[in-house]
Amino acid sequence: MDIRISNLKKTFGEKTAVDINEFQINDGDILGLVGNNGAGKTTLFRMILDLLKPDEGEVSIAGINPAEHEDWKTTTGAYIDEAFLIDFLTPEEYFEFVGKTYSMDKETIEQRQRDFEQFMDGEILDQKKLIRDFSAGNKQKIGIVAALFNKPQLVILDEPFNFLDPSSQNILKKMLTAYHEETGATILISSHNLQHTIEISSRIALLEHGVIIKDLQNENGSAEQELENYFNV
């Protein structure tokens, strides 16, 4: 699914969070969104998902303005933060809720849970715990699994490597790469972890004070040096 951004602006008081004139994310891109704290990454994601109204401009997802239609929701999976979870449910109940939202039968829901067993690493299912009682890392895993549950054609993950231990981070990288190979989905991730972003992204957008200052192709990690120079790594 392609995404087009036109004259998109969002301010909070005197601070400009996002100011993007024109930007296109192509169908099948794995776009890594990088920038320092306050660069506007999460604000941009929230506007793409119609969770935050822009002051000016618009976003379209596969030609659909998400603020005006809901068709895009059935083919989009996202995880921004814990607010996406229903924390008074167990993970099993939550996955069942997500599955039923997409008209999955019980067998399909159970199969999708098994598909993520390695990533969940025996710490999520059959724990007899509510989501609110899990660690930050395991909440993150639950949210990512839910985002991918319906095999969406657009995936948006905000800081997906946060809170994950190194083994889980590596599994997530492989999982997202395999998912892209299987589905051809458009995947957007933001991350402070440059190395992980470079390893999985086909393209990298660098935000500074809400403006995309660099749009880098990343064939075989070709954007690494330029990003390291910017961040003084």
mmCIF file of all heavy atoms in Angstrom, residues 4-9 20-23 56-59:
data_model
loop_
_atom_site.group_PDB
_atom_site.id
_atom_site.type_symbol
_atom_site.label_atom_id
_atom_site.label_comp_id
_atom_site.label_asym_id
_atom_site.label_seq_id
_atom_site.Cartn_x
_atom_site.Cartn_y
_atom_site.Cartn_z
ATOM 1 N N ARG A 4 0.719 8.751 0.515
ATOM 2 C CA ARG A 4 1.083 10.069 0.001
ATOM 3 C C ARG A 4 0.800 11.113 1.074
ATOM 4 O O ARG A 4 -0.286 11.136 1.657
ATOM 5 C CB ARG A 4 0.291 10.397 -1.273
ATOM 6 C CG ARG A 4 0.653 9.506 -2.454
ATOM 7 C CD ARG A 4 -0.211 9.835 -3.664
ATOM 8 N NE ARG A 4 0.103 8.972 -4.784
ATOM 9 C CZ ARG A 4 1.008 9.249 -5.715
ATOM 10 N NH1 ARG A 4 1.691 10.384 -5.645
ATOM 11 N NH2 ARG A 4 1.241 8.408 -6.712
ATOM 12 N N ILE A 5 1.779 11.967 1.277
ATOM 13 C CA ILE A 5 1.669 13.044 2.267
ATOM 14 C C ILE A 5 1.766 14.368 1.524
ATOM 15 O O ILE A 5 2.688 14.568 0.732
ATOM 16 C CB ILE A 5 2.786 12.928 3.325
ATOM 17 C CG1 ILE A 5 2.605 11.626 4.126
ATOM 18 C CG2 ILE A 5 2.798 14.137 4.247
ATOM 19 C CD1 ILE A 5 3.786 11.287 5.006
ATOM 20 N N SER A 6 0.807 15.253 1.773
ATOM 21 C CA SER A 6 0.768 16.531 1.070
ATOM 22 C C SER A 6 0.569 17.675 2.057
ATOM 23 O O SER A 6 -0.437 17.711 2.781
ATOM 24 C CB SER A 6 -0.379 16.554 0.048
ATOM 25 O OG SER A 6 -0.248 15.505 -0.886
ATOM 26 N N ASN A 7 1.539 18.582 2.092
ATOM 27 C CA ASN A 7 1.443 19.822 2.881
ATOM 28 C C ASN A 7 1.000 19.562 4.314
ATOM 29 O O ASN A 7 0.137 20.263 4.851
ATOM 30 C CB ASN A 7 0.481 20.805 2.206
ATOM 31 C CG ASN A 7 0.902 21.125 0.788
ATOM 32 O OD1 ASN A 7 2.069 21.418 0.547
ATOM 33 N ND2 ASN A 7 -0.031 21.052 -0.148
ATOM 34 N N LEU A 8 1.582 18.541 4.927
ATOM 35 C CA LEU A 8 1.151 18.091 6.253
ATOM 36 C C LEU A 8 1.855 18.895 7.340
ATOM 37 O O LEU A 8 3.088 18.936 7.400
ATOM 38 C CB LEU A 8 1.462 16.597 6.410
ATOM 39 C CG LEU A 8 0.790 15.879 7.571
ATOM 40 C CD1 LEU A 8 -0.717 15.795 7.357
ATOM 41 C CD2 LEU A 8 1.371 14.479 7.748
ATOM 42 N N LYS A 9 1.048 19.507 8.200
ATOM 43 C CA LYS A 9 1.611 20.310 9.286
ATOM 44 C C LYS A 9 0.872 20.040 10.591
ATOM 45 O O LYS A 9 -0.357 19.876 10.614
ATOM 46 C CB LYS A 9 1.523 21.803 8.963
ATOM 47 C CG LYS A 9 2.406 22.233 7.792
ATOM 48 C CD LYS A 9 2.381 23.733 7.588
ATOM 49 C CE LYS A 9 3.277 24.132 6.414
ATOM 50 N NZ LYS A 9 3.293 25.593 6.197
ATOM 51 N N ILE A 20 5.777 18.651 6.515
ATOM 52 C CA ILE A 20 6.218 17.881 5.349
ATOM 53 C C ILE A 20 5.417 18.332 4.132
ATOM 54 O O ILE A 20 4.194 18.172 4.097
ATOM 55 C CB ILE A 20 6.026 16.367 5.575
ATOM 56 C CG1 ILE A 20 6.828 15.908 6.801
ATOM 57 C CG2 ILE A 20 6.451 15.576 4.335
ATOM 58 C CD1 ILE A 20 6.564 14.471 7.208
ATOM 59 N N ASN A 21 6.102 18.890 3.148
ATOM 60 C CA ASN A 21 5.408 19.378 1.959
ATOM 61 C C ASN A 21 4.871 18.237 1.112
ATOM 62 O O ASN A 21 3.671 18.117 0.907
ATOM 63 C CB ASN A 21 6.333 20.273 1.127
ATOM 64 C CG ASN A 21 6.614 21.596 1.806
ATOM 65 O OD1 ASN A 21 5.780 22.104 2.555
ATOM 66 N ND2 ASN A 21 7.793 22.155 1.565
ATOM 67 N N GLU A 22 5.758 17.412 0.596
ATOM 68 C CA GLU A 22 5.358 16.283 -0.244
ATOM 69 C C GLU A 22 6.257 15.100 0.068
ATOM 70 O O GLU A 22 7.479 15.236 0.124
ATOM 71 C CB GLU A 22 5.475 16.624 -1.735
ATOM 72 C CG GLU A 22 4.567 17.749 -2.204
ATOM 73 C CD GLU A 22 3.094 17.370 -2.210
ATOM 74 O OE1 GLU A 22 2.796 16.150 -2.315
ATOM 75 O OE2 GLU A 22 2.248 18.277 -2.115
ATOM 76 N N PHE A 23 5.654 13.945 0.275
ATOM 77 C CA PHE A 23 6.439 12.743 0.522
ATOM 78 C C PHE A 23 5.604 11.542 0.131
ATOM 79 O O PHE A 23 4.409 11.481 0.439
ATOM 80 C CB PHE A 23 6.837 12.641 1.999
ATOM 81 C CG PHE A 23 7.844 11.557 2.284
ATOM 82 C CD1 PHE A 23 9.128 11.626 1.769
ATOM 83 C CD2 PHE A 23 7.504 10.470 3.074
ATOM 84 C CE1 PHE A 23 10.065 10.639 2.036
ATOM 85 C CE2 PHE A 23 8.431 9.472 3.345
ATOM 86 C CZ PHE A 23 9.720 9.563 2.821
ATOM 87 N N GLU A 56 -2.882 21.267 8.974
ATOM 88 C CA GLU A 56 -3.014 21.509 7.538
ATOM 89 C C GLU A 56 -2.626 20.240 6.795
ATOM 90 O O GLU A 56 -1.939 19.378 7.321
ATOM 91 C CB GLU A 56 -2.089 22.648 7.079
ATOM 92 C CG GLU A 56 -2.354 23.994 7.691
ATOM 93 C CD GLU A 56 -1.361 25.037 7.217
ATOM 94 O OE1 GLU A 56 -0.849 24.908 6.071
ATOM 95 O OE2 GLU A 56 -1.077 25.966 7.981
ATOM 96 N N GLY A 57 -3.054 20.148 5.538
ATOM 97 C CA GLY A 57 -2.629 19.067 4.666
ATOM 98 C C GLY A 57 -3.370 17.775 4.909
ATOM 99 O O GLY A 57 -4.328 17.706 5.691
ATOM 100 N N GLU A 58 -2.900 16.727 4.243
ATOM 101 C CA GLU A 58 -3.582 15.449 4.352
ATOM 102 C C GLU A 58 -2.655 14.282 4.044
ATOM 103 O O GLU A 58 -1.576 14.452 3.473
ATOM 104 C CB GLU A 58 -4.787 15.394 3.420
ATOM 105 C CG GLU A 58 -4.447 15.432 1.945
ATOM 106 C CD GLU A 58 -5.695 15.305 1.074
ATOM 107 O OE1 GLU A 58 -6.786 15.686 1.546
ATOM 108 O OE2 GLU A 58 -5.566 14.815 -0.056
ATOM 109 N N VAL A 59 -3.124 13.116 4.427
ATOM 110 C CA VAL A 59 -2.471 11.841 4.152
ATOM 111 C C VAL A 59 -3.441 10.999 3.338
ATOM 112 O O VAL A 59 -4.652 11.043 3.568
ATOM 113 C CB VAL A 59 -2.127 11.104 5.468
ATOM 114 C CG1 VAL A 59 -1.602 9.702 5.187
ATOM 115 C CG2 VAL A 59 -1.122 11.903 6.281
#
